[in-house]
Amino acid sequence: HRTSILHPGPVVVPAALAAAEARGASADAFLAAVVRGYEAVIRIGASVGPGHYALWHNTSTCGPFGAAAAAGALAGLGEDALVWALGNAGTQAAGPWRTRHEPVMSKQLHTARAAEAGLAAAALAEAGFTGPEFILEGAQGFYEAMAPDATPAAVVDGLEDAPWRIWDVSFKPWPACRHAHPTVDAALALRARGVDAAEIAAIRIETYPDAVRFCDRPDPTTEPEAKFSLQHSAATALAEGPPDLETFRSGALPRAAALRALAIVEAAEPFASAFPARYGAAVEVRLRSGEVLLEVAADALGDPDNPVDEGRLVEKARALMLDGGRSEAQADRLIETALALHGGGAALDAFAAALADAPA
């Protein structure tokens, strides 16, 4: 989600699924809980401000609220108990951004712990375990401790008439950091214009400051570093086309080294002012002939203003499942049951069974 700068899915969905399975809930109840969880985590994420994001992983810190809201909905918690659940979710908020400076697996631990914290908070509240009502705005609460420029009103802005915030989420077509996506999009647009990578003499990437802060990585040596490298993202898109999972793996890094070395990165307008409402970048190449070509991606592919269709999402899901070791039949079954959950086309236990089916 752009303005919340967080990933609702990897926190809310597993917590909702665990709570739904434990209660034998219907697919519709599970999906409704996911929507409510998204609403909570996105609204709180939108309130924390750039001062929070500068140091904290929003998915990790705001995620427990979403997980608690989803699990609490499935538990049928009343108002008092839901307040306790959200309070105790917030008191477990954690996840400093050191994980981005050292691309390691801890970022995934953040999402797992956030889901666990929210799920536990809801279960405790159901058992009568109380939690702080003013965890967000109260003295020594979440905002005071971790969000110096919070805007608390964002939690409830437009609550009565706004559409569910789940409609605002973005999808990631490329297997890299989201901040690298507009750079990929602009580079692909140059390639589509016939730019030959062998003729490139220099590459200039302009984007917003957070993308530079986290993804200015000219010489990645590992897969996580490559996924957080604007230089690698641009070079491989220009030379090889749409990136896939292999694009960011260790074996692909030497192929792009020479082209990466031609790239410079800097923060610039209009991208700096537009972020986080818009994730944009420009890629300019100077050819050996002296010709200069520029492409601008004002909105990353997959954002609500530049959407991808369901077919593209299914294609990406299948690629990830196959890469994880599932057979084509297993992947197809999981996709089919997921898509059939809405409207009663598949029971939740069928989806859970497809998830649990061991990779071939």
Side-chain angles (χ1 to χ4, degrees):
H1 187 267
R2 290 177 295 181
T3 54
S4 299
I5 322 179
L6 51 73
H7 299 268
V11 177
V12 173
V13 174
L17 182 60
E21 283 192 277
R23 297 175 179 280
S26 68
D28 282 346
F30 161 66
L31 294 175
V34 168
V35 172
R36 288 179 168 85
Y38 268 56
E39 191 76 7
V41 68
I42 289 171
R43 284 183 169 276
I44 291 173
S47 78
V48 297
H52 180 82
Y53 183 69
L55 297 174
W56 298 96
H57 182 189
N58 288 13
T59 303
S60 184
T61 56
C62 304
F65 294 103
L74 284 157
L77 297 184
E79 182 175 329
D80 286 346
L82 190 55
V83 167
W84 299 339
L86 292 170
N88 282 323
T91 205
Q92 298 178 78
W97 259 142
R98 187 62 210 168
T99 57
R100 254 186 174 155
H101 298 280
E102 301 177 47
V104 289
M105 297 178 75
S106 304
K107 191 164 178 274
Q108 284 64 51
L109 181 62
H110 285 181
T111 59
R113 288 299 194 195
E116 179 188 46
L119 188 65
L124 288 166
E126 187 178 15
F129 194 95
T130 60
E133 179 176 355
F134 298 100
I135 187 61
L136 290 174
E137 72 275 37
Q140 296 182 292
F142 183 84
Y143 289 150
E144 187 173 306
M146 302 167 70
D149 50 4
T151 53
V155 178
V156 293
D157 279 351
L159 196 60
E160 298 301 323
D161 53 8
W164 290 99
R165 293 298 175 91
I166 196 170
W167 291 110
D168 297 337
V169 298
S170 302
F171 294 92
K172 291 174 59 176
W174 317 124
C177 175
R178 184 58 170 172
H179 293 316
H181 281 218
T183 294
V184 171
D185 297 336
L188 289 176
L190 285 168
R191 180 179 170 86
R193 289 171 60 181
V195 169
D196 181 352
E199 296 301 314
I200 294 175
I203 303 168
R204 183 183 190 86
I205 302 166
E206 294 184 345
T207 186
Y208 48 91
D210 274 335
V212 175
R213 182 176 299 114
F214 295 123
C215 298
D216 181 6
R217 205 175 298 274
D219 190 24
T221 59
T222 65
E223 181 177 348
E225 288 180 351
K227 291 180 175 183
F228 284 81
S229 170
L230 295 174
Q231 293 90 336
H232 185 75
S233 297
T236 52
L238 286 164
E240 302 177 11
D244 58 17
L245 291 162
E246 293 300 324
T247 300
F248 299 95
R249 291 189 170 144
S250 298
L253 302 187
R255 294 200 306 268
L259 201 54
R260 277 198 312 267
L262 302 177
I264 61 171
V265 170
E266 68 175 26
E269 295 292 354
F271 312 111
S273 297
F275 179 79
R278 304 181 77 175
Y279 286 37
V283 177
E284 178 185 275
V285 295
R286 178 169 53 82
L287 304 181
R288 299 185 190 282
S289 65
E291 184 179 9
V292 175
L293 299 171
L294 172 71
E295 282 289 341
V296 175
D299 294 289
L301 182 62
D303 277 351
D305 299 311
N306 187 16
V308 293
D309 60 23
E310 185 177 290
R312 185 83 172 259
L313 298 178
V314 168
E315 180 184 341
K316 181 187 177 184
R318 181 177 285 107
L320 292 170
M321 293 172 194
L322 295 177
D323 187 71
R326 293 180 184 269
S327 68
E328 290 190 8
Q330 288 173 317
D332 288 342
R333 178 186 173 212
L334 180 50
I335 290 167
E336 287 166 8
T337 54
L339 292 175
L341 286 172
H342 175 59
L348 189 63
D349 59 359
F351 174 63
L355 271 177
D357 194 8

